[in-house]
Amino acid sequence: MSLTLDPTAQDLLFREARTANTFTDEPVTDEQVQAIYDLVKYGPTAFNQSPLRIVLVRSADGRERLVQHMAEGNQAKTSTAPLVALLVADNEFHEELPALLPHFPQAKDAFFSERPVREQAAALNASLQAAYFIIGVRAAGLAAGPMTGYDATGIEKEFLDGDHKLLMVVNIGKPGEDAWFPRLPRLSYDEVVTTV
């Protein structure tokens, strides 16, 4: 059985998509980011909690402040990417639940009154949304370079408040020269899927 999605789209989103390490200087516009968000916001999260928050780092000052917290191997690509997004989990997402879950507004207090419960839920569901965001970047014809090589505490102090937790830094743009490392192997279906 084949997939319903056109093979060209399958390639764009998955088979040919790679983590970009260099970018052209073509800008990524606010309109492109809006279109990406307007697509990926429909990805499912538990209780429709939607805890992902996105901080776009565009200014030279912001970029300089960010790059100092990146691992050495990530500094050059982060300083030259047309756009950098901080993907963040909002641990106070429950405040939005009455609007996001109008048929069950009491979920805010019934399930998420305790901070540790919110932190666990936010981390999982914002990570799902971060994956949707990367696919959305690809759907926009752009390349994403998601990274976790950084000083998270430093970035959080620099850009966030105590209610937000950094998940990853994503460089975004059109791929530049020698943007791709060789494709690494993947596990086979039989290595991953078990039927019971």
Side-chain angles (χ1 to χ4, degrees):
M1 176 179 179
S2 63
L3 300 173
T4 302
L5 187 66
D6 178 78
T8 303
Q10 294 174 38
D11 288 344
L12 176 71
L13 299 178
F14 294 100
R15 286 190 288 262
E16 299 300 324
R18 310 288 286 282
T19 296
N21 293 286
T22 66
F23 299 90
T24 69
D25 58 2
E26 183 179 330
V28 176
T29 67
D30 288 337
E31 292 77 17
Q32 286 173 299
V33 177
Q34 176 80 48
I36 291 165
Y37 177 73
D38 285 342
L39 175 65
V40 303
K41 69 184 179 183
Y42 295 107
T45 57
F47 291 93
N48 198 34
Q49 63 190 244
S50 306
L52 181 70
R53 304 295 179 261
I54 303 166
V55 177
L56 300 178
V57 182
R58 287 198 181 276
S59 71
D61 173 66
R63 191 69 62 99
E64 186 176 317
R65 290 166 40 219
L66 175 60
V67 168
Q68 70 179 337
H69 298 291
M70 299 303 294
E72 185 177 338
N74 292 332
Q75 289 180 348
K77 54 190 167 187
T78 301
S79 66
T80 59
L83 179 63
V84 182
L86 308 180
L87 302 188
V88 175
D90 180 0
N91 291 315
E92 296 298 308
F93 68 86
H94 70 306
E95 296 296 341
E96 305 295 335
L97 282 180
L100 293 172
L101 202 64
H103 65 280
F104 187 32
Q106 62 270 35
K108 172 187 172 195
D109 298 317
F111 293 102
F112 300 109
S113 61
E114 301 293 326
R115 177 70 179 232
V117 173
R118 289 197 307 275
E119 288 176 355
Q120 184 177 11
L124 172 63
N125 288 280
S127 294
L128 285 172
Q129 289 185 284
Y132 305 147
F133 182 80
I134 292 166
I135 300 301
V137 168
R138 293 172 175 179
L142 300 169
M147 299 169 294
T148 56
Y150 47 70
D151 170 14
T153 303
I155 293 173
E156 287 169 356
K157 284 182 182 176
E158 195 76 42
F159 294 95
L160 307 175
D161 62 29
D163 290 330
H164 294 82
K165 182 77 175 161
L166 181 65
L167 298 173
M168 68 183 71
V169 176
V170 182
N171 296 325
I172 303 169
K174 292 282 186 183
E177 189 173 333
D178 298 321
W180 320 119
F181 294 148
R183 167 86 65 197
L184 294 173
R186 298 296 193 267
L187 296 174
S188 72
Y189 177 87
D190 292 335
E191 292 172 302
V192 173
V193 178
T194 305
T195 303
V196 294

